[in-house]
Amino acid sequence: MSAPGRRRPTNVLANAPFRRLWTAASVCSLGDWLNILALTALAANLTEGGFRNQSLAVGGVFVAKMLPAVLLGPLAGAFADRFDRRLTMVVADLARFAIVVSIPFVGRYQWIIIATLLIECVNLFWVPAKDATIPNLVPKQQLEAANRISLLVTYGTAPVAAALFALLSVADDLLHTTASLLQPTSLALGLNALAYLVSALLIFTLSGIPRRGGAISTPSVLRQIIDGWRYIGTNRLVRGLVIGMLGAFAAGGAVVGVAKVYVLAQGGGDAAYGTMFGAVFVGMAAGMFFGPRLLSGLSRRRMFGVSIVSAGVVLAALALVHNLVIVVMLTALLGAFAGIAWIIGYTLIGLEVEDALRGRTFSFLQSTARVVLLLVVAVANPLAALFDKRTVQLGQITYAFDGTNLVLLIAGVLAAVVGVLSLRHMDDRPGIALSDDLLAALRGEQYKPEVDEQLPGMFVAFEGGEGSGKTTQSRLLAIWLRDQGYDVVQTREPGSTKVGMRLRAILLDAAERGLSPRAEALLYAADRAEHVEKVIRPALLRGSIVVTDRYVDSSLAYQGAGRALDPSDVAQVNAWATGGLVPHLTVLIDTPPEVGLTRLGGAADRIESEPLEFHEAVRKEFRALAAAEPGRYLVVDGTLPSEEITRQIQDRVREILPDPVPQESEDVTGTMPAIRD
């Protein structure tokens, strides 16, 4: 317990020790980005022999930069577990300072490669020590905020570094300096070295870092990849997310790998290179912040796939354009689409992957991304060098096309293909044309299929897992609506018709363990077709309000996610069975399965007796469906008191109610037995 009267800071940066470490990390991050820009530019500038040799030289720098992380990561993590973390970081900063200072004085390409390898090896010890220190400096409830702003400076300093590098290059052009130590690359390396020295001083004066802490040793990259695929291979949604994000990494690696040589081929210098580099990250920041807001009506899963396809198209256009001003604009647009995909992908993984597997999934993604980046950067520049330069004559038009254009074009096409594959894996609105969905989102709306205007009634569906409380709440809503003077038809699935009652007996019989998932989906669709034809549609034609306990979303969640059937197949079968009839409002009672299952009484039926993992998958799919169409859903926390849930439902339903026209009420379920939630 904290001491009486002592208030914990609400802002994590109000924590002085963490603020000092965060400042050191920010300065180091700025230095790291300057280092990348300066070393790649210097490698190209020191290399003679034209386009091909420059491509290979820049590629060598990137390979040297990423290779240590793949090979030595576990060793560095183990080191951070066992030694004084403050001393580790201070020594690492001083070592990086000494190495970076030496580069302009030596001035040889071979030393650039050796220095890059040494700096990255040192980084592998600094980063785990820093990450392991953060939990010791902030309260547990502020750890997420601390990690978030740490990630912010990791990428947020990139455009600052790019702007500094561009300014140094412009100043050099204006002053026409010839001294090697006053070149923009040397000045950038000097600032980089100074950043490491400042970081060392900040951390040296930091107290409160223990010598040892909880183990954070990292397993080998190969082990992380193998373990990750074991899980991801069984989850269609996460598989689509990972395919898309790795495709985006590969495309980004191609851009980063050939950017310097590409700018040189277009007649630009270091200033243009820095501007193009910064444009990527400015675009990413804009995409992360504005993209999901500008297209709020578009399903997040669809937005993820569309953003990757769009990035591929922009990248292909970038490969064909020779105007540097347009290139920078396209680069910013490319970054925006990449930012949208990145933020949505990470958010969906956080939502869709259960807590016990979330860290493993992120670890798999990060490890695989390293390997993908290494392979792409290693291949991109040699491929560009192999193709060299070509000139195409089209009538009186001469078009120059070199290896960097080819690499970017291939990367753009591959990114578009990966985006399409990802979209096919993740599409949560099958049967609705993507073009209609996208046009509606651009207008600031959410596309809704046209509802049969000959049905004057109102249709409300209740969804949720076992024991969620939806049956109770649907009954209470029907009673409340009747009290308001409306004609209400309260019904349920399966079992609201004579045929449905027979199907219900089969579907819920615990003895029917051998029923195949496809047969189960078709039986539910058959019950639903009869339900719509005999109960729901006639009631809507009379102008009644229909309140149903379960509808199409239950099949999408239980059979699509729980039984791992293709969601597009399940959606198409049910769209045909219902004639495309969509509720005006779907109320989702969101209750954790471990809570809902304890509410059930008596012997468990065939669905209730499924393992907890099945019910977790069902709940995640319900929530994803609601997130895809927030305008048609009301999501209520099922753990709230029953009276509060009822109030929230009534408030939402009141917004869409027609003027009351009192009629004689009809309850088609009046002779039905009670239904368990």
Side-chain angles (χ1 to χ4, degrees):
M1 294 179 63
S2 59
R6 183 179 177 182
R7 297 181 61 186
R8 290 178 175 175
T10 57
N11 183 353
V12 68
L13 287 177
N15 183 320
F18 173 75
R19 184 172 65 249
R20 184 178 293 271
L21 180 63
W22 179 82
T23 303
S26 303
V27 172
C28 279
S29 181
L30 179 64
D32 288 339
W33 289 115
L34 276 172
N35 191 46
I36 293 173
L37 288 162
L39 291 182
T40 51
L42 186 59
N45 296 341
L46 290 175
T47 304
E48 298 179 354
F51 174 84
R52 178 172 295 175
N53 289 346
Q54 288 176 332
S55 296
L56 294 173
V58 174
V61 173
F62 280 112
V63 171
K65 182 170 182 60
M66 282 179 283
L67 194 59
V70 176
L71 300 179
L72 303 178
L75 175 63
F79 189 95
D81 284 348
R82 292 170 173 80
F83 294 90
D84 187 313
R85 291 171 186 160
R86 183 177 66 168
L87 182 60
T88 298
M89 288 187 281
V90 170
V91 171
D93 280 332
L94 293 176
R96 291 189 292 186
F97 167 78
I99 296 169
V100 171
V101 165
S102 71
I103 295 174
F105 290 97
V106 177
R108 297 180 63 85
Y109 176 74
Q110 293 84 348
W111 180 243
I112 290 177
I113 297 299
I114 295 172
T116 301
L117 283 168
L118 292 174
I119 291 170
E120 290 309 311
C121 287
V122 174
N123 283 345
L124 291 178
F125 293 92
W126 193 92
V127 172
K130 184 263 294 183
D131 290 341
T133 298
I134 292 176
N136 298 118
L137 300 181
V138 300
K140 184 177 181 180
Q141 63 270 25
Q142 290 186 330
L143 183 58
E144 182 179 355
N147 289 329
R148 185 168 59 247
I149 65 170
S150 297
L151 187 64
L152 175 65
V153 297
T154 299
Y155 295 101
T157 51
V160 178
L164 278 174
F165 188 75
L167 286 174
L168 291 173
S169 302
V170 171
D172 176 70
D173 292 339
L174 293 175
L175 297 174
H176 302 289
T177 56
T178 56
S180 61
L181 293 180
L182 294 179
Q183 295 295 318
T185 52
S186 299
L187 291 173
L189 289 171
L191 289 176
N192 180 19
L194 181 61
Y196 292 141
L197 188 59
V198 170
S199 174
L201 292 173
L202 287 171
I203 294 173
F204 183 75
T205 58
L206 179 63
S207 59
I209 302 179
R211 291 180 59 88
R212 305 182 186 190
I216 60 165
S217 299
T218 306
S220 70
V221 171
L222 180 61
R223 171 54 56 190
Q224 292 181 55
I225 293 174
I226 292 173
D227 290 345
W229 268 122
R230 287 176 180 172
Y231 166 68
I232 291 168
T234 63
N235 189 304
R236 184 181 180 87
L237 169 63
V238 178
R239 188 164 63 245
L241 281 169
V242 170
I243 289 172
M245 295 180 78
L246 292 180
F249 267 112
V255 174
V256 171
V258 302
K260 172 59 180 176
V261 181
Y262 177 75
V263 169
L264 289 175
Q266 306 302 321
D270 289 340
Y273 174 45
T275 303
M276 183 176 175
F277 191 91
V280 174
F281 291 94
V282 171
M284 284 186 67
M288 289 180 181
F289 186 78
F290 294 109
R293 291 170 173 81
L294 292 176
L295 297 175
S296 58
L298 188 64
S299 156
R300 289 297 177 264
R301 296 191 192 183
R302 283 192 159 188
M303 190 185 298
F304 177 79
V306 168
S307 62
I308 295 177
V309 173
S310 301
V313 172
V314 172
L315 186 53
L318 184 67
L320 302 175
V321 174
H322 289 167
N323 185 295
L324 274 176
V325 175
I326 297 177
V327 163
V328 171
M329 295 172 62
L330 289 175
T331 302
L333 186 60
L334 171 66
F337 286 124
I340 294 172
W342 183 258
I343 193 67
I344 291 176
Y346 258 70
T347 301
L348 287 177
I349 287 177
L351 289 174
E352 300 294 339
V353 179
E354 60 185 277
D355 186 66
L357 296 171
R358 193 175 300 135
R360 192 183 312 171
T361 304
F362 280 122
S363 178
F364 163 80
L365 181 62
Q366 292 164 0
S367 300
T368 311
R370 289 180 191 172
V371 175
V372 168
L373 279 173
L374 177 61
L375 291 175
V376 170
V377 171
V379 170
N381 283 282
L383 179 60
L386 182 66
F387 186 78
D388 207 358
K389 294 184 178 181
R390 298 286 190 276
T391 301
V392 180
Q393 192 72 33
L394 301 173
Q396 296 184 351
I397 301 175
T398 301
Y399 183 79
F401 194 85
D402 59 36
T404 58
N405 298 120
L406 177 64
V407 168
L408 293 177
L409 184 60
I410 293 174
V413 172
L414 289 177
V417 171
V418 166
V420 171
L421 291 175
S422 180
L423 186 59
R424 290 185 61 184
H425 273 78
M426 300 170 56
D427 193 3
D428 55 353
R429 302 196 73 189
I432 297 177
L434 179 60
S435 57
D436 293 337
D437 225 0
L438 188 57
L439 288 173
L442 291 173
R443 295 193 301 266
E445 306 170 355
Q446 183 176 40
Y447 178 76
K448 297 180 181 179
E450 293 185 5
V451 181
D452 191 344
E453 294 185 359
Q454 296 182 350
L455 301 177
M458 192 177 80
F459 187 15
V460 179
F462 278 76
E463 300 284 9
E466 307 303 314
S468 61
K470 58 181 177 48
T471 301
T472 299
Q473 292 299 330
S474 64
R475 177 177 56 81
L476 292 173
L477 178 63
I479 294 172
W480 178 73
L481 288 171
R482 291 191 185 103
D483 290 342
Q484 308 303 311
Y486 292 97
D487 176 38
V488 181
V489 173
Q490 183 188 354
T491 184
R492 70 172 182 181
E493 290 186 357
S496 285
T497 64
K498 291 182 179 179
V499 172
M501 293 177 69
R502 298 177 183 176
L503 292 174
R504 182 182 180 88
I506 297 172
L507 287 165
L508 301 184
D509 188 350
E512 296 290 346
R513 285 288 184 178
L515 190 63
S516 72
R518 290 178 182 272
E520 181 182 280
L522 291 171
L523 288 174
Y524 275 112
D527 168 80
R528 191 162 293 122
E530 187 77 354
H531 187 206
V532 170
E533 183 70 21
K534 299 292 179 60
V535 178
I536 298 177
R537 193 175 294 275
L540 294 176
L541 280 169
R542 294 195 308 270
S544 301
I545 297 179
V546 176
V547 179
T548 182
D549 178 356
R550 294 203 184 282
Y551 193 56
V552 173
D553 286 359
S554 283
S555 283
L556 294 174
Y558 279 85
Q559 283 74 56
R563 303 297 188 203
L565 296 178
D566 189 330
S568 61
D569 291 342
V570 178
Q572 289 173 5
V573 167
N574 281 276
W576 178 71
T578 62
L581 183 62
V582 178
H584 295 88
L585 174 66
T586 299
V587 179
L588 173 60
I589 311 295
D590 181 35
T591 305
E594 59 270 20
V595 174
L597 293 173
T598 60
R599 298 173 176 176
L600 304 176
D605 61 33
R606 196 174 66 89
I607 302 297
E608 294 168 352
S609 59
E610 291 291 342
L612 184 61
E613 292 77 12
F614 173 89
H615 295 287
E616 288 281 4
V618 168
R619 184 195 182 199
K620 287 185 176 70
E621 185 63 17
F622 272 133
R623 295 172 66 177
L625 291 169
E629 295 185 75
R632 187 172 64 82
Y633 282 80
L634 169 65
V635 181
V636 184
D637 184 354
T639 62
L640 293 173
S642 179
E643 296 79 7
E644 176 62 18
I645 296 174
T646 301
R647 185 192 63 76
Q648 291 187 28
I649 294 171
Q650 290 178 358
D651 288 346
R652 179 62 181 274
V653 171
R654 191 179 285 111
E655 296 174 1
I656 61 173
L657 279 175
D659 293 332
V661 181
Q663 301 178 32
E664 182 179 353
S665 298
E666 178 181 354
D667 183 353
V668 300
T669 64
T671 59
M672 289 188 202
I675 311 170
R676 285 189 314 205
D677 290 328

